[in-house]
Amino acid sequence: MLSKIVGSVVGTKNDRELKRMRKVVTKINAQEAGVQALSDEQLQQKTEAFKARFQKGESLDALLPEAFAVCREASLRVNGMRHYDVQLIGGITLHEGKIAEMKTGEGKTLMATLAIYLNAISSKGVHVVTVNDYLAARDADLNRPLFNFLGLTVGVIYSQQPAQEKVDAYQADITYGTNNEYGFDYLRDNMVFSLSEKKQRPLNFCIIDEIDSILIDEARTPLIISGQAEDSSRMYALINTIIPVLVRSKDEEANKNNEDEDFWIDEKNRQIEISEKGYEKIESFLIEVGELGENESLYSPSRLPLLAHVQAAIRAHHIFVKNVHYIVDEGEVVIVDENTGRTMPGRRWSEGLHQAVEAKENVEIQAENQTLATTTFQNFFRLYDKLSGMTGTADTEAAEFKSTYDLEVIVIPTHKPIARVDMDDQIFLTKLGKYKGIIREIKEIQDKGAPVLVGTATIEASEELSYLLDQEGVKHNVLNAKQHEREADIIAQAGSPKSVTIATNMAGRGTDIILGGNWQSFIEDIDSVSADEMQRLKAQWQVKHDQVVAAGGLHIIGSERHESRRIDNQLRGRAGRQGDPGMSRFFLSLEDDLMRIFAGDRVVNMMRAMGLKEDEAIEHKMVSKSIENAQGKVESRDFDARKNLLKYDDVANEQRKVIYAQRDDLLDDMDLLDAIEVMHHEVYNAMINQFIPPGSVDDQWNVDGLEDELEEEFKVYMPLNDWLDEDRRLDEEGLRAKIIETALAHYHGRREQMGEQSAAQLERHFMLQSLDKHWKEHLTQMDQLRKGIHLRGYAQKNPEQEYKRESFELFQMMLGAIKSETVQDLSRVHIPTKEELEALEAQQRADAERMKMQFEHNDVDNLSGEPQPTPRPQNQGERANGQMRVNLAGGVAAGASASAGVSIPDDASDAEPNPYAGMNISRNAPCPCGSSLKYKQCHGKI
């Protein structure tokens, strides 16, 4: 109450921000006369002049009034569209790194061109993010003529894009694309093996269209690049057979404390709980089919993966619904985005859920994946130097935008006052009664000559309603994930008189519904249209437009309330654009999920006590208020889920930054010699500590064990006992120093044999290979840690603090493993002698001659014309006999073996034939090959 009183006196923060920006708009308008007097050529030259002024140190803020005036004038000349003053305010908002909330139809796409142009002057790149590829390409094509006129380049990124085309798109001044593609490109760029393979430039400025949909609705789903893991499709199919036998509790709350049912479901949180009886039934089944031992339990540590299979299968059958959460298209399970109603081909649920749904639908079960790289939208978009966004509905989530992204929401006033009338909700007892009420309402609106847009929450609901309308003979169009190809055509004519359109979520549709229909869509497919024909079509449209306006404009009918108020507001916002008339009303029933799960018993009891018939409805402020409270609870729950995800990902994000920075340093041709020497010190010290504890006396030393371990791990023989016998004064510190000094001398000697360039390539290769392998394993460990960390709460420990502590320990262990493995690989790599190289060349010549003879033989004998297999010489670039081969002359192949020259034996059984066999060589003598190893550990190895 106090804040309202203060706000009425001094104005809200939003009012004060608008007042400040209007002063800047006055400066922009003052530039208009001067800019209008410029010729096209002079107007185009302004961009280079702005760039020169920026390079000399003038800020973008100082350039803003003139740059906005130039962009507005160019837009008028190129596209015939002049920015309104409210759009100038929106452009200022975006440039300042804030969120502009503008009502549907107010021209967000045109408004964004102002901030895009100004920030492109810096030549650091501007990224424009849209919710799908269609909108990215459409907006780029729409604005390309304007930006090209002003001397700026425009690129578009999309999935499966050729590499060079994507590089060119990122090098453009302005790049359009989807949030998924930007995020995945960031992850891919940090998996490459050379800087030349990177696509993105440093992340500078980003404008996100439908920012609430991307940063709020999609923020619960992390971006994951994965590789194929072990195939366990048989297990999913097996577990799927037991689920129909399990009994679900009919009354979840009443039966939580008894054991009559096998499981119950927490619909609010989409979680399942299995009863003791359920566990016994599942274990009996698994013992019967041989997947569980007689005395084993699902809780056995080695059997926890089985438990995860069971839980995923129950969720797939009882929580995830076909045509609501997914569709089956051409034998594949395709996820449906609950917030936009669009399909998401290529994306898969994690933790085995997608495979469980595939088993349920009896389609081919794809192999499980292992995480190779992952991030969240929250942490990715926070990497930009400056982030901004625009939407029609952000104010309800202003607190989350501020706390998570440090983004302020500015509500931009409309160009014309809103004339839409929002009616009270109508509440029915049953879903069928609600549908009857909707059909009755549609017919009444059609009789007036007005168009109707019916919004549904799911594909299933849209098809149910469509079926009932067909039964009533009402002609209509359906827009959902199954008809996305016809989307543009359906929306273009959704404002025609008496038209009826059923649509799932309207967020990010990117097209305004024009009253009377879109007459321009009729001529898009015609090659040439005469001026007379165009005038006739426009006159016809005007008659229809006037008819629809007289009938009250577009009528919005919501078939149920969404869990988020924003989604409802997005649907409402389709009517009443640019001062047009319109009407909206929501129809609800007690059987709707939101009412059933979240609405209070008071509402339900009141309606039943009134004795309403099935198709009778009530309208009451108290009911509407109760529904809003329920939506608030869901929004709060979802906010907590996103905040919880972010808390844990923040820990991983700090580690991700360290690893990615390390990779960039490795790729940047930095000299690794110093780093390798430091690794030698750390790795050898860690090994020495195991056998000679720091500060210990010589009686506590295990010198023999250390000597064997050094030889086994690093292939370096050090006669530690001889050293100690020769020098009685050699203490722990001296022995340590001598071991490390010997190891480094050994490495430098081998480095000289390899040559400076080849050694540097080899060091980089081994470090990258080890880093990527251990990072992948670390991501899996972190994921497993996060899944079970909440159980620490039962031990009176803070799960978040425990996660931070243990993840840090895992990270330290990973770094140690990377260093140890790199030093081992560099120590064990085999450098060929001159004799071995000569023998190899002779072998290659013989192979080539044999191949030549084989080809000649095939030319003579293959009279049938059928292709014949030809013997292939041993390709030294492959993993042969368990040895990894690296080409010192031609460079190191990233992530794979290259041609012969250097090899790392994987085990003793793979050793090459012994060229010194038969010679009288002591097994403890140095090997004649010059490897510095004892003969018994080298060519004399059994």
Side-chain angles (χ1 to χ4, degrees):
M1 180 62 72
L2 182 60
S3 62
K4 288 183 178 179
I5 296 171
V6 174
S8 65
V9 177
V10 300
T12 63
K13 188 176 189 301
N14 196 79
D15 294 335
R16 294 193 294 275
E17 287 291 299
L18 293 176
K19 185 177 180 180
R20 176 182 63 81
M21 291 182 190
R22 285 194 177 99
K23 294 177 182 177
V24 183
V25 170
T26 303
K27 293 179 182 178
I28 298 168
N29 290 333
Q31 299 272 351
E32 188 165 22
V35 171
Q36 285 174 340
L38 299 174
S39 66
D40 283 358
E41 187 178 351
Q42 289 173 321
L43 193 64
Q44 290 171 319
Q45 290 171 353
K46 279 289 186 181
T47 301
E48 289 303 317
F50 290 144
K51 287 184 176 181
R53 288 163 61 183
F54 177 79
Q55 292 298 326
K56 289 178 181 177
E58 196 167 347
S59 69
L60 293 178
D61 291 341
L63 293 171
L64 186 150
E66 193 175 351
F68 273 31
V70 166
C71 186
R72 177 162 67 176
E73 181 60 26
S75 176
L76 184 60
R77 296 185 190 186
V78 175
N79 296 329
M81 293 186 288
R82 178 185 178 275
H83 299 79
Y84 300 131
D85 283 0
V86 291
Q87 289 173 319
L88 296 178
I89 292 175
I92 297 167
T93 301
L94 293 180
H95 166 67
E96 292 180 349
K98 298 183 173 80
I99 297 173
E101 180 182 294
M102 294 184 74
K103 299 301 179 188
T104 302
E106 290 293 304
K108 291 190 285 292
T109 305
L110 179 63
M111 174 263 286
T113 58
L114 297 163
I116 293 170
Y117 173 65
L118 175 62
N119 284 271
I121 288 169
S122 69
S123 299
K124 296 179 181 178
V126 176
H127 290 175
V128 185
V129 182
T130 64
V131 292
N132 57 65
D133 288 331
Y134 161 72
L135 288 180
R138 188 208 69 172
D139 289 356
D141 291 340
L142 194 65
N143 293 322
R144 187 177 280 109
L146 167 62
F147 292 131
N148 287 350
F149 175 84
L150 289 168
L152 300 174
T153 54
V154 177
V156 183
I157 60 165
Y158 54 89
S159 58
Q160 307 300 319
Q161 188 174 18
Q164 189 54 49
E165 186 182 327
K166 180 162 281 188
V167 170
D168 294 341
Y170 275 118
Q171 291 299 318
D173 295 307
I174 302 148
T175 307
Y176 286 83
T178 65
N179 50 313
N180 289 330
E181 201 60 24
Y182 283 117
F184 282 130
D185 282 344
Y186 164 72
L187 292 176
R188 292 185 196 110
D189 274 359
N190 286 287
M191 297 172 69
V192 299
F193 285 87
S194 71
L195 288 176
S196 62
E197 295 178 60
K198 284 203 166 195
K199 310 285 191 303
Q200 291 181 342
R201 293 190 280 172
L203 303 175
N204 174 44
F205 176 55
C206 176
I207 296 177
I208 304 178
D209 192 11
E210 302 296 344
I211 190 170
D212 54 334
S213 177
I214 291 171
L215 293 192
I216 300 294
D217 297 331
E218 296 197 35
R220 280 176 290 177
T221 307
L223 289 169
I224 299 173
I225 290 180
S226 52
Q228 208 167 79
E230 182 184 350
D231 183 17
S232 54
S233 54
R234 184 191 66 83
M235 183 58 66
Y236 284 105
L238 178 67
I239 297 297
N240 189 64
T241 59
I242 192 179
I243 303 305
V245 181
L246 300 179
V247 180
R248 175 183 174 178
S249 170
K250 294 183 177 60
D251 186 347
E252 315 296 347
E253 291 300 323
N255 287 291
K256 267 192 177 185
N257 295 319
N258 69 48
E259 299 295 317
D260 293 336
E261 286 82 11
D262 297 323
F263 69 94
W264 55 85
I265 293 177
D266 178 1
E267 291 190 80
K268 292 183 182 180
N269 298 306
R270 289 189 179 176
Q271 297 296 324
I272 60 109
E273 293 184 47
I274 304 173
S275 68
E276 195 62 39
K277 179 186 173 187
Y279 277 116
E280 290 174 2
K281 188 181 289 188
I282 295 164
E283 286 173 352
S284 298
F285 170 79
L286 293 172
I287 290 170
E288 188 179 322
V289 297
E291 291 297 332
L292 207 61
E294 284 290 341
N295 298 317
E296 280 189 307
S297 163
L298 275 174
Y299 287 108
S300 303
S302 61
R303 293 305 183 184
L304 287 177
L306 267 180
L307 180 58
H309 279 303
V310 172
Q311 291 173 331
I314 296 175
R315 293 180 71 206
H317 275 263
H318 294 277
I319 297 179
F320 286 80
V321 182
K322 184 178 179 180
N323 291 338
V324 176
H325 302 105
Y326 65 91
I327 62 172
V328 178
D329 182 30
E330 297 182 359
E332 287 190 14
V333 172
V334 182
I335 299 173
V336 173
D337 188 330
E338 294 178 59
N339 300 299
T340 65
R342 296 177 184 275
T343 56
M344 297 191 289
R347 293 186 69 170
R348 296 174 66 81
W349 288 304
S350 58
E351 301 177 12
L353 178 60
H354 210 99
Q355 286 80 3
V357 174
E358 287 169 335
K360 166 191 168 184
E361 295 296 338
N362 198 28
V363 300
E364 182 184 355
I365 301 172
Q366 307 285 333
E368 283 189 72
N369 291 322
Q370 180 180 19
T371 300
L372 304 180
T374 180
T375 187
T376 57
F377 283 127
Q378 291 106 317
N379 276 320
F380 169 66
F381 282 110
R382 291 194 300 189
L383 293 172
Y384 280 88
D385 292 338
K386 184 165 66 175
L387 178 66
S388 64
M390 50 192 182
T391 181
T393 49
D395 199 35
T396 55
E397 312 292 345
E400 182 169 354
F401 279 121
K402 184 64 180 173
S403 65
T404 303
Y405 304 99
D406 196 25
L407 287 171
E408 289 184 28
V409 177
I410 304 296
V411 181
I412 313 295
T414 56
H415 179 57
K416 294 179 181 178
I418 297 175
R420 185 186 70 244
V421 178
D422 296 326
M423 310 289 286
D424 287 335
D425 300 343
Q426 286 200 349
I427 298 96
F428 295 79
L429 283 173
T430 66
K431 189 178 288 187
L432 183 60
K434 175 182 71 174
Y435 285 154
K436 288 179 179 178
I438 289 173
I439 293 170
R440 190 165 56 240
E441 182 90 352
I442 289 172
K443 288 181 176 179
E444 290 175 5
I445 295 168
Q446 274 193 317
D447 290 342
K448 294 193 299 183
V452 186
L453 174 65
V454 185
T456 64
T458 64
I459 299 172
E460 188 177 42
S462 69
E463 293 180 341
E464 285 178 1
L465 197 51
S466 174
Y467 172 78
L468 293 173
L469 286 174
D470 283 336
Q471 298 295 104
E472 294 291 327
V474 178
K475 189 178 177 182
H476 62 281
N477 283 311
V478 179
L479 175 59
N480 59 30
K482 293 184 177 180
Q483 285 87 22
H484 58 86
E485 296 89 352
R486 298 175 54 226
E487 177 176 315
D489 294 333
I490 292 173
I491 291 181
Q493 304 310 322
S496 301
K498 297 188 177 183
S499 70
V500 178
T501 307
I502 301 174
T504 49
N505 194 300
M506 291 300 294
R509 294 295 178 186
T511 306
D512 292 327
I513 298 175
I514 300 171
L515 299 188
N518 188 342
W519 66 276
Q520 292 176 321
S521 67
F522 290 118
I523 62 175
E524 285 178 355
D525 298 328
I526 304 174
D527 293 334
S528 61
V529 182
S530 65
D532 291 342
E533 179 68 12
M534 193 174 292
Q535 197 62 36
R536 186 183 66 80
L537 287 171
K538 195 170 183 179
Q540 286 181 351
W541 168 81
Q542 189 63 52
V543 172
K544 292 179 180 178
H545 175 77
D546 294 342
Q547 179 185 345
V548 171
V549 170
L554 177 67
H555 285 55
I556 303 292
I557 294 177
S559 67
E560 63 182 279
R561 288 279 199 166
H562 198 274
E563 288 186 351
S564 170
R565 288 169 293 175
R566 282 183 306 102
I567 311 300
D568 294 341
N569 292 338
Q570 285 165 0
L571 177 62
R572 275 203 177 108
R574 291 291 156 182
R577 61 179 291 278
Q578 290 290 341
D580 286 340
M583 188 276 290
S584 72
R585 186 198 296 275
F586 280 85
F587 288 72
L588 315 174
S589 83
L590 297 184
E591 294 177 352
D592 293 346
D593 287 343
L594 186 73
M595 296 286 287
R596 182 172 53 82
I597 299 172
F598 293 102
D601 293 336
R602 183 181 169 196
V603 176
V604 176
N605 294 335
M606 182 188 74
M607 289 194 62
R608 288 189 172 137
M610 294 173 67
L612 295 175
K613 295 180 181 177
E614 183 182 66
D615 58 351
E616 288 181 340
I618 65 165
E619 295 177 26
H620 199 284
K621 291 286 184 186
M622 189 267 287
V623 178
S624 298
K625 187 69 177 173
S626 176
I627 293 164
E628 283 188 16
N629 290 339
Q631 288 176 310
K633 291 177 186 175
V634 180
E635 289 167 5
S636 176
R637 179 201 67 185
D638 290 344
F639 177 32
D640 288 341
R642 290 187 291 268
K643 190 165 65 173
N644 194 52
L645 172 70
L646 186 60
K647 277 193 303 187
Y648 288 108
D649 191 65
D650 278 343
V651 178
N653 193 50
E654 292 304 314
Q655 299 177 1
R656 188 184 302 121
K657 287 178 182 177
V658 172
I659 292 297
Y660 286 175
Q662 181 70 62
R663 283 191 104 261
D664 286 344
D665 288 343
L666 288 171
L667 296 174
D668 199 23
D669 289 332
M670 61 174 284
D671 184 5
L672 297 177
L673 182 56
D674 291 343
I676 296 294
E677 288 183 348
V678 171
M679 285 185 192
H680 274 75
H681 278 275
E682 293 180 3
V683 171
Y684 275 88
N685 267 316
M687 179 172 285
I688 293 168
N689 288 342
Q690 296 177 31
F691 298 90
I692 302 178
S696 61
V697 296
D698 53 5
D699 288 344
Q700 297 174 292
W701 297 0
N702 182 1
V703 177
D704 291 337
L706 177 58
E707 187 176 307
D708 291 341
E709 189 73 7
L710 288 170
E711 191 171 3
E712 179 69 28
E713 292 296 318
F714 304 114
K715 303 302 179 189
V716 180
Y717 173 65
M718 298 188 193
L720 304 185
N721 283 307
D722 293 348
W723 293 351
L724 291 168
D725 290 341
E726 291 168 6
D727 187 357
R728 295 292 181 181
R729 293 175 299 175
L730 197 62
D731 58 4
E732 177 205 330
E733 188 177 340
L735 182 60
R736 232 175 240 280
K738 189 163 185 177
I739 291 172
I740 295 172
E741 181 184 344
T742 305
L744 287 173
H746 173 71
Y747 175 65
H748 283 293
R750 294 164 62 77
R751 209 171 188 274
E752 286 177 17
Q753 282 181 273
M754 287 186 271
E756 187 74 25
Q757 186 177 356
S758 296
Q761 285 181 311
L762 200 62
E763 289 163 352
R764 182 168 289 103
H765 168 73
F766 281 138
M767 280 198 70
L768 276 174
Q769 190 179 55
S770 181
L771 185 147
D772 287 346
K773 185 185 84 171
H774 287 287
W775 175 243
K776 179 180 71 175
E777 293 170 356
H778 179 70
L779 288 175
T780 302
Q781 289 177 315
M782 291 279 282
D783 192 42
Q784 292 170 344
L785 176 63
R786 190 178 68 250
K787 286 177 186 175
I789 201 69
H790 66 279
L791 297 173
R792 304 294 174 86
Y794 292 114
Q796 304 300 311
K797 293 181 179 179
N798 185 325
E800 186 182 345
Q801 293 300 323
E802 289 292 298
Y803 181 76
K804 287 180 179 178
R805 182 181 61 79
E806 291 202 24
S807 62
F808 179 74
E809 290 174 1
L810 287 172
F811 189 66
Q812 292 291 97
M813 289 168 60
M814 179 195 70
L815 294 178
I818 291 171
K819 294 171 185 174
S820 180
E821 188 173 281
T822 302
V823 171
Q824 278 185 13
D825 288 345
L826 290 171
S827 300
R828 295 158 67 97
V829 66
H830 174 61
I831 304 168
T833 62
K834 182 180 178 182
E835 291 78 12
E836 287 173 329
L837 287 173
E838 288 174 354
L840 178 64
E841 288 173 8
Q843 178 67 40
Q844 289 174 334
R845 283 194 298 270
D847 287 339
E849 188 65 29
R850 193 162 54 250
M851 180 181 284
K852 180 181 176 183
M853 292 177 62
Q854 184 66 42
F855 276 129
E856 291 171 355
H857 174 77
N858 281 348
D859 288 342
V860 173
D861 294 345
N862 186 16
L863 302 178
S864 66
E866 293 295 323
Q868 297 291 320
T870 57
R872 191 161 59 97
Q874 171 63 52
N875 182 348
Q876 304 295 344
E878 297 177 352
R879 186 171 288 274
N881 297 327
Q883 294 182 348
M884 186 174 74
R885 304 196 175 270
V886 183
N887 182 9
L888 291 180
V892 178
S897 306
S899 61
V902 180
S903 65
I904 301 174
D906 283 349
D907 56 50
S909 64
D910 296 325
E912 297 174 4
N914 183 3
Y916 311 108
M919 296 184 183
N920 188 18
I921 302 172
S922 169
R923 293 188 51 73
N924 288 315
C927 186
C929 75
S931 66
S932 300
L933 297 176
K934 289 181 181 179
Y935 179 64
K936 68 180 180 182
Q937 293 294 340
C938 193
H939 279 87
K941 200 169 189 177
I942 298 174

